[in-house]
Amino acid sequence: LVRFRVDAERDGEQRSWVQELEDTPFNRDNNRMTAIYVQRQGEWRQLPNPDNRDLKQLYEWTLPKGTFRQASKAFPYSSWTQVGDQRFTTRCLDVDGHMGLIPVTMHRCESDEFPWRHLKASIRAQATNELLWSVSLESNGRVSQEEPARH
């Protein structure tokens, strides 16, 4: 079982949730979560998450307003990413585009060495280099199926 804790902030509002993934090739390839727990008013509650809809809504909330529209061909390259005391070889991609009317660059890195594959991503305004959105894995570890969720 792979467990992710997500703490997100947008416009001064904070949200937290925990994603649990049964580590199978299908679930990894399809980003299919086994369970999702959200924190509301200090309590953790499990969401039904049919077809990953609840997960999609949680992540859509984190994105800046506007839809990313690709404006140029993606620039792929290899790199590495440090997560805690581990180092992962990564495939990264930089893509220029627009969020609404703002020219932006999207950066994304994944690794086959990590069960969930997704390690970090960001969107920056090209004119100011302002960080508009980012997500990164800060630590990782495995838990047993039987271990209770300590959110």
Side-chain angles (χ1 to χ4, degrees):
L1 185 66
V2 180
R3 186 174 292 147
F4 308 92
R5 163 118 184 201
V6 179
D7 296 304
E9 183 177 343
R10 183 184 78 182
D11 299 330
E13 183 182 352
Q14 295 182 342
R15 293 186 182 181
S16 296
W17 66 88
V18 171
Q19 303 167 204
E20 292 183 346
L21 167 74
E22 186 179 333
D23 193 7
T24 67
F26 177 83
N27 286 348
R28 283 193 307 266
D29 290 344
N30 295 284
N31 197 27
R32 176 74 63 181
M33 292 300 138
T34 308
I36 298 175
Y37 302 89
V38 295
Q39 188 177 33
R40 293 205 175 115
Q41 300 171 337
E43 286 188 33
W44 289 95
R45 297 189 179 128
Q46 186 171 358
L47 298 178
N49 198 36
D51 298 320
N52 257 10
R53 277 185 261 162
D54 291 320
L55 180 67
K56 183 179 178 195
Q57 287 179 344
L58 288 169
Y59 276 102
E60 283 175 350
W61 176 85
T62 70
L63 294 171
K65 291 177 177 57
T67 302
F68 178 81
R69 291 185 326 271
Q70 187 170 335
S72 68
K73 191 173 181 176
F75 175 73
Y77 59 95
S78 296
S79 186
W80 60 271
T81 298
Q82 191 81 24
V83 177
D85 61 353
Q86 292 183 290
R87 185 174 165 151
F88 297 98
T89 303
T90 56
R91 292 179 318 283
C92 298
L93 197 63
D94 287 348
V95 182
D96 289 337
H98 291 86
M99 292 293 297
L101 299 175
I102 302 170
V104 297
T105 299
M106 181 182 68
H107 170 76
R108 184 181 77 212
C109 291
E110 299 178 345
S111 176
D112 292 330
E113 298 170 2
F114 181 68
W116 189 46
R117 294 201 175 107
H118 309 285
L119 292 176
K120 62 183 177 179
S122 64
I123 298 174
R124 289 189 175 273
Q126 291 176 0
T128 62
N129 203 34
E130 176 187 2
L131 182 63
L132 301 175
W133 175 83
S134 72
V135 61
S136 64
L137 183 67
E138 301 297 325
S139 64
N140 72 309
R142 291 197 174 266
V143 294
S144 71
Q145 269 308 83
E146 296 79 32
E147 184 177 336
R150 283 185 237 124
H151 311 291

